[in-house]
């Protein structure tokens, strides 16, 4: 593959602030020279603008008990939009590429400012483990120009390069305050295509909250671009603290990002819907006659990863654990919880017995996952859940992550979240790249653009990945980093 040296030629950083009284935009210009070993960039302040609004947000936004236990790690997302304006249309409508960039940049800035008035905590800063200070510091908006066509990226997605399309961050440690919650980078390709990159704090934003925000922003942008009398989305940010207030006596757990720092590598796998249908038939059993696509894909990944780990291990581990992160909005019995913003994440554990091939086949692993899921629903979906219940759940999660005698895999599914519905005015995204946080044994699942397949990002130790990606059973159902069409 041709190297990416010099692909990113220019970058502009705009810091948008939503205060309901003032929105400050600081525009920067940079020169961006890219090398795999060295990244150099310079920023020059050009101008500062002010925008005004009539309302005023509360100065302090209270976090929920779920937010309290969430780590300070960031998670990224990329949405790719091919150019929908053909060359003949440009000539017909006298639209040159640079004018298109200027027009769409203005539209994105204006609509983002408006959206932040409804999601005002996103423009604040973490104050402590229980609150956000809505202090006018703002969200970060970065504009970049990419010296290649978007098709070059989609033909053979390079995960290392994709990270350059996501806003860069300063490192944060558990207990640190004052850091940015929302970072956005809009990348304009030479062909007119766009990739919008997000890097958001998991301290108060989960995948549901991010998808809600993005679709609200997209709807606002679409309204600005099509009507002189824009009707903005009615959704307002309602924090989970209204149902799950923070604990008064709170001791933060160890940051999970520091628990498994090893030399790892991340790969992309795509499971097409037709292959998933056959995989379901292979994984079905009397215990689980109708497994879901997430269950069967997860079971195959888990089984393959266990084999790779065992092949590289000097000792035989007694068991393996699959920790499945779940959206608690679909579980909790509390009323009016489905639309709450923030983190509402729990997890259940499925365990392999380590008793040999027959116990760790697809049917057995799917049954273990279904058993863990059903027990979790009974435990947390049939009663009122208190802050103490959440504290106990999260501490159990931390204990499972730190067990050294068990190989632990942590998975999160973004399937059915409407990221592919985000139309800013130039169509829906062709590709959506989920979180690629470099944490050992982390798996993220997401819909393919047609809605029927599953795309997986997984991070394993380098020696485990070398065996994992050559597994014939896996490759019968999955494609390794295929072209995006």
């Amino acid at each position: 593959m041709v190297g990416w040296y010099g692909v990113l030629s220019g970058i502009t950083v705009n810091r948008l602030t939503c205060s309901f009284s003032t929105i400050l935009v600081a525009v920067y210009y940079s020169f961006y020279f890219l090398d795999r070993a060295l990244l150099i960039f310079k920023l020059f302040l050009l101008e500062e603008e002010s925008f005004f609004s009539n309302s005023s947000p509360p100065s302090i936004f209270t976090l929920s008990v779920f937010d309290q236990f969430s780590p300070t790690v960031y998670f990224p997302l990329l949405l790719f939009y091919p150019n929908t304006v053909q060359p003949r249309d440009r000539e017909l409508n006298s639209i040159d590429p640079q004018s298109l960039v200027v027009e769409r940049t203005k539209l994105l800035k204006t609509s983002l400012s408006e959206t932040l008035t409804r999601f005002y905590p996103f423009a604040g800063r973490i104050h402590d483990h229980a609150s956000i200070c809505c202090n006018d510091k703002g969200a970060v908006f970065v504009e970049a120009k990419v010296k290649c066509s978007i098709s070059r990226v989609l033909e053979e997605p390079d995960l290392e390069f994709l990270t350059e399309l996501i806003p860069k961050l300063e490192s944060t440690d558990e207990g640190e305050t004052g850091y940015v919650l929302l970072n956005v980078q809009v990348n304009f390709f030479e062909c007119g295509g766009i990739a919008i990159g997000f890097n958001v704090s998991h301290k108060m934003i989960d995948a549901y909250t991010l998808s809600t925000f993005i679709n609200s922003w997209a709807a606002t942008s679409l309204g600005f671009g099509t009507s002189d009398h824009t009707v903005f989305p009615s959704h307002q940010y309602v924090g989970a603290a209204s149902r799950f207030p923070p604990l008064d006596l709170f001791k933060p757990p160890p940051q999970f990002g520091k628990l498994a720092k090893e030399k790892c590598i991340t790969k992309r796998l795509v499971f097409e819907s037709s292959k998933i249908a056959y995989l379901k038939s292979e994984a079905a059993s009397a215990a689980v006659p109708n497994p879901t696509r997430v269950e069967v894909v997860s079971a195959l990944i888990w089984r393959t990863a266990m084999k790779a780990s065992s092949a590289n291990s000097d000792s035989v581990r007694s068991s393996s654990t699959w920790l499945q992160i779940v959206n608690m909005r679909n579980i909790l019995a509390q009323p009016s919880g489905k639309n709450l913003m923030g983190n509402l994440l729990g997890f259940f554990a499925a365990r392999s017995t380590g008793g040999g091939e027959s116990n760790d086949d697809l049917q057995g692993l799917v049954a273990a996952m279904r058993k863990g899921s059903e027990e979790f629903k009974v435990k947390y979906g049939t009663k009122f859940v208190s802050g103490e219940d959440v504290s106990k759940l999260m501490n159990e999660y931390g204990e499972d992550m730190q067990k050294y005698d068990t190989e632990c895999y942590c998975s999160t599914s973004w399937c059915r979240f409407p990221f592919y519905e985000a139309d800013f005015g130039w169509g829906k995204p062709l590709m959506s790249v989920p979180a690629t946080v470099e944490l050992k044994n982390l798996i993220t699942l997401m819909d393919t653009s047609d809605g029927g397949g599953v795309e997986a990002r997984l991070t394993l130790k380098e020696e485990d990945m070398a065996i994992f990606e050559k597994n014939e059973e896996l490759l019968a159902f999955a494609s390794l980093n295929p072209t995006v069409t």
Side-chain angles (χ1 to χ4, degrees):
M1 183 178 184
V2 178
W4 290 101
Y5 180 82
V7 169
L8 295 181
S9 63
I11 193 168
T12 306
V13 179
N14 311 288
R15 188 174 297 272
L16 276 85
T17 309
C18 173
S19 67
F20 285 92
S21 59
T22 305
I23 298 178
L24 299 177
V25 181
V27 185
Y28 298 81
Y29 184 76
S30 338
F31 297 98
Y32 203 114
F33 303 95
L34 176 64
D35 188 281
R36 288 190 182 276
L38 180 65
L39 187 65
I40 303 173
F41 57 92
K42 299 176 182 179
L43 299 177
F44 301 95
L45 179 64
L46 287 183
E47 62 179 332
E48 186 173 281
E49 302 176 24
S50 297
F51 299 87
F52 301 94
S53 181
N54 296 324
S55 302
S56 178
S59 59
I60 295 293
F61 180 85
T62 303
L63 296 174
S64 73
V65 62
F66 287 98
D67 296 324
Q68 282 184 301
F69 280 94
S70 296
T72 57
V73 298
Y74 285 76
F75 67 95
L77 173 72
L78 267 170
L79 300 175
F80 285 88
Y81 296 86
N83 185 16
T84 56
V85 178
Q86 301 301 320
R88 62 179 182 274
D89 297 327
R90 293 197 193 105
E91 295 173 3
L92 181 64
N93 300 318
S94 301
I95 301 176
D96 66 274
Q98 184 55 37
S99 297
L100 203 61
V101 169
V102 172
E103 175 188 328
R104 289 180 173 178
T105 300
K106 180 180 178 181
L107 178 62
L108 287 170
K109 290 178 185 178
T110 304
S111 56
L112 177 58
S113 297
E114 174 61 37
T115 305
L116 286 173
T117 63
R118 299 189 299 279
F119 290 79
Y120 64 90
F122 284 34
R125 295 293 185 273
I126 291 293
H127 178 63
D128 53 30
H129 281 292
S131 62
I132 293 171
C133 181
C134 302
N135 54 7
D136 300 347
K137 293 294 181 68
V140 169
F141 183 97
V142 178
E143 179 188 354
K145 296 180 181 179
V146 189
K147 291 186 63 176
C148 73
S149 67
I150 198 170
S151 62
R152 183 180 173 190
V153 180
L154 299 179
E155 282 171 4
E156 189 178 349
D158 182 287
L159 295 185
E160 185 176 350
F161 173 68
L162 293 181
T163 62
E164 303 302 334
L165 304 179
I166 296 169
K168 298 297 177 291
L169 304 168
E170 295 182 1
S171 61
T172 58
D173 294 320
E174 189 69 41
E176 186 177 347
T177 60
Y179 55 86
V180 178
L181 294 168
L182 172 66
N183 302 271
V184 179
Q185 181 169 318
V186 181
N187 305 277
F188 291 97
F189 292 83
E190 287 184 324
C191 62
I194 299 173
I196 304 180
F198 299 85
N199 223 347
V200 299
S201 172
H202 220 321
K203 194 63 185 172
M204 65 160 287
I205 303 172
D206 62 9
Y208 171 88
T209 300
L210 179 60
S211 67
T212 303
F213 169 78
I214 290 174
N215 278 280
S216 180
W217 179 17
T220 302
S221 174
L222 192 61
F224 272 128
T226 59
S227 174
D228 293 332
H229 304 286
T230 303
V231 178
F232 299 120
S234 60
H235 197 286
Q236 299 288 329
Y237 192 102
V238 179
S242 62
R243 297 289 185 274
F244 305 97
L247 297 177
D248 293 330
L249 299 175
F250 174 73
K251 181 180 179 182
Q255 187 173 354
F256 79 84
K258 297 180 178 179
L259 299 178
K261 287 287 187 181
E262 298 185 41
K263 197 168 184 180
C264 296
I265 186 170
T266 299
K267 296 284 185 174
R268 168 179 172 254
L269 294 169
V270 175
F271 298 80
E272 296 178 359
S273 57
S274 59
K275 297 292 183 68
I276 291 176
Y278 183 69
L279 188 58
K280 284 182 178 181
S281 67
E282 292 287 298
S285 65
V288 186
N290 296 301
T292 67
R293 59 181 174 143
V294 169
E295 286 174 332
V296 298
V297 167
S298 298
L300 181 57
I301 290 174
W302 186 13
R303 173 180 164 84
T304 309
M306 283 193 290
K307 286 184 176 181
S309 178
S310 297
N312 286 320
S313 179
D314 295 331
S315 60
V316 178
R317 285 184 167 139
S318 59
S319 65
S320 174
T321 299
W322 183 271
L323 293 176
Q324 182 65 53
I325 298 174
V326 296
N327 180 6
M328 296 293 285
R329 297 170 185 84
N330 299 328
I331 304 294
L332 294 167
Q334 271 95 325
S336 305
K338 287 189 176 296
N339 297 320
L340 295 178
M341 300 290 105
N343 284 289
L344 266 87
L345 300 178
F347 80 96
F348 66 82
R351 308 186 193 278
S352 77
T353 61
E357 187 79 11
S358 61
N359 290 332
D360 290 339
D361 62 9
L362 289 177
Q363 291 183 350
L365 295 178
V366 166
M369 290 179 177
R370 182 64 65 89
K371 180 175 182 288
S373 174
E374 295 299 330
E375 290 176 349
F376 184 83
K377 290 177 182 178
V378 170
K379 186 174 182 179
Y380 293 98
T382 58
K383 67 170 187 175
F384 180 88
V385 176
S386 67
E388 288 71 23
D389 292 327
V390 175
S391 177
K392 183 179 179 181
L393 173 65
M394 295 305 171
N395 281 308
E396 289 174 356
Y397 177 39
E399 290 171 2
D400 274 323
M401 291 287 289
Q402 296 181 75
K403 287 181 178 177
Y404 293 101
D405 61 343
T406 301
E407 189 74 22
C408 182
Y409 299 91
C410 182
S411 176
T412 180
S413 172
W414 291 12
C415 293
R416 301 195 183 281
F417 288 132
F419 291 109
Y420 282 106
E421 297 300 314
D423 183 354
F424 289 86
W426 42 86
K428 296 178 181 180
L430 181 63
M431 180 186 184
S432 183
V433 181
T436 53
V437 181
E438 293 285 328
L439 297 177
K440 188 186 79 169
N441 296 348
L442 176 65
I443 300 99
T444 303
L445 305 181
M446 197 170 195
D447 295 320
T448 51
S449 59
D450 63 7
V454 172
E455 183 162 325
R457 289 290 194 288
L458 67 154
T459 302
L460 301 175
K461 292 189 297 184
E462 288 185 349
E463 57 267 32
D464 288 353
M465 184 65 79
I467 297 175
F468 179 95
E469 65 182 352
K470 296 176 182 177
N471 183 280
E472 292 183 2
E473 181 186 23
L474 174 74
L475 296 178
F477 296 99
S479 301
L480 187 61
N481 201 32
T483 297
V484 178
T485 58

